[in-house]
């Protein structure tokens, strides 16, 4: 109400389409280039290059899940484009992520609904420094399994299409360029979502390093690779504004954001999470939801 000009930012980001196309092309070139390398170099480039592109692509898919590519009027175009963006990751992800991520926005911290909340087992077991370190390494596994444990949903036809498209793509890469290209693709996704500087955003976004502050923004340089997902308070306030425009939200409504706790280093977030004995997977706000709950 105080800043009506923010409404002008609620429109699709067509540049996202071209960025995703270039990222897919870059990974296809990488698949070809690694096909004859020694295994040590396949894994080296999977971590140094492939992991960055893969993690960045998951955040492009995050943008697409909010219909940022083609707008709300062409919602299905966004779903198909998300399936396309998913291909270089090697594992079907886009459609299921969309379904669960909308719950995360509607019912942030909702017990049994928001699968971004770690399970009781995670909080109980990963409580020492070494175990928290291993929890960070294994984050891709927990993000894959947690929805099945906390809030399983019936499989939709779009998820089946996502699966079949992904399997067809993986088989095609194996047929064209062999097992090293496939391993590069899968290793890049696993390494990029595990022990990686960009993965600091998983913890930075909602883990309560300060009591009473549930969501935090990060304003460091890695936003350039992550579609400004670091602007997380701004994103939760205005989820229909593309990441490209979130810095403008902060600039326009600076009085609401400048004085909130914030981060400038995701690497430091990872370090502090492991080394601070008062922080663990339990360090999340969990709510008991009341009334009607509507899920995708």
């Amino acid at each position: 109400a105080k800043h009506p000009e923010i409404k002008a930012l609620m429109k699709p980001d067509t540049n996202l389409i071209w960025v995703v196309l270039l990222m897919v092309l870059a990974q296809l070139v990488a698949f070809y280039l690694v096909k004859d390398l020694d295994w040590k170099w396949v894994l080296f480039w999977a971590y140094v290059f492939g992991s960055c592109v893969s993690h960045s692509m998951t955040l492009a898919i995050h943008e697409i899940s909010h219909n940022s590519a083609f707008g709300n009027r062409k919602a299905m175009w966004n779903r198909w484009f998300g399936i396309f963006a998913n291909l270089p990751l090697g594992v079907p992800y886009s459609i299921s992520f969309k379904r669960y991520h909308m719950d995360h926005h509607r019912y942030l911290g909702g017990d049994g609904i928001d699968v971004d909340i770690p399970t009781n087992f995670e909080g109980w077991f990963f409580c020492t420094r070494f175990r928290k370190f291993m929890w960070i390494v294994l984050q891709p596994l927990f993000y894959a399994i947690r929805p099945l444990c906390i809030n399983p949903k019936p499989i939709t036809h779009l998820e089946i299409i996502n699966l079949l498209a992904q399997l067809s793509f993986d088989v095609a890469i194996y047929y064209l360029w062999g097992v090293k290209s496939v391993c590069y693709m899968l290793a890049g996704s696993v390494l990029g979502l595990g022990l990686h500087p960009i993965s600091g955003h998983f913890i930075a976004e909602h883990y309560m390093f300060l009591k009473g502050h549930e969501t935090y923004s990060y304003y460091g340089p890695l936003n350039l690779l992550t579609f400004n997902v670091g602007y997380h308070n701004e994103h939760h306030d205005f989820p229909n504004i593309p990441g490209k425009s979130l810095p403008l939200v902060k600039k326009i409504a600076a009085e609401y954001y400048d004085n909130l706790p914030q981060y400038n280093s995701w690497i430091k977030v990872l370090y502090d999470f492991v080394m601070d004995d008062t922080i663990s997977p339990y360090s999340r706000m969990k709510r008991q939801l009341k009334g009607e709950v509507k899920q995708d």
Side-chain angles (χ1 to χ4, degrees), residues 65-114:
S65 75
H66 286 281
N67 295 335
S68 293
F70 296 98
N72 293 323
R73 294 183 180 181
K74 296 181 178 178
M76 280 305 300
W77 288 36
N78 290 281
R79 302 293 77 74
W80 294 118
F81 192 57
I83 292 173
F84 169 76
N86 194 153
L87 294 177
L89 298 177
V91 179
Y93 160 83
S94 175
I95 299 299
S96 296
F97 173 79
K98 155 74 176 175
R99 299 178 72 197
Y100 284 103
H101 188 63
M102 294 304 102
D103 294 340
H104 171 69
H105 275 275
R106 292 190 190 108
Y107 309 109
L108 179 63
D111 189 19
I113 303 296
D114 183 1

Side-chain angles (χ1 to χ4, degrees), residues 39-57:
W39 278 107
K40 63 182 179 182
W41 290 111
V42 172
L43 295 177
F44 173 82
W45 287 113
Y47 188 78
V48 171
F49 181 76
S51 63
C52 296
V53 178
S54 292
H55 201 136
S56 184
M57 187 64 87

Side-chain angles (χ1 to χ4, degrees), residues 204-205 209-210 213 215-220 230-234 250 254 256-266 268-269 272:
E205 289 166 0
F209 283 80
L210 294 175
H213 291 275
T215 303
Y216 302 78
S217 288
Y218 156 83
Y219 299 122
Y231 289 75
H232 217 66
N233 276 300
E234 296 84 346
K250 182 179 183 296
Y256 291 99
Y257 299 111
D258 284 354
N259 294 322
L260 294 177
Q262 55 190 249
Y263 300 112
N264 291 305
S265 171
W266 277 335
K268 188 175 186 302
V269 168
D272 289 346

Side-chain angles (χ1 to χ4, degrees), residues 3 33 37 42 55 64 71 93 102 163 166 178 197 199 224 236 241 269 275 288 292:
H3 298 285
L33 292 176
L37 295 180
V42 172
H55 201 136
I64 296 166
Y93 160 83
M102 294 304 102
L163 172 63
Q166 191 62 61
S199 291
L224 295 173
H236 272 268
I241 293 180
V269 168
M275 301 304 294
Q288 297 297 324
E292 184 179 4

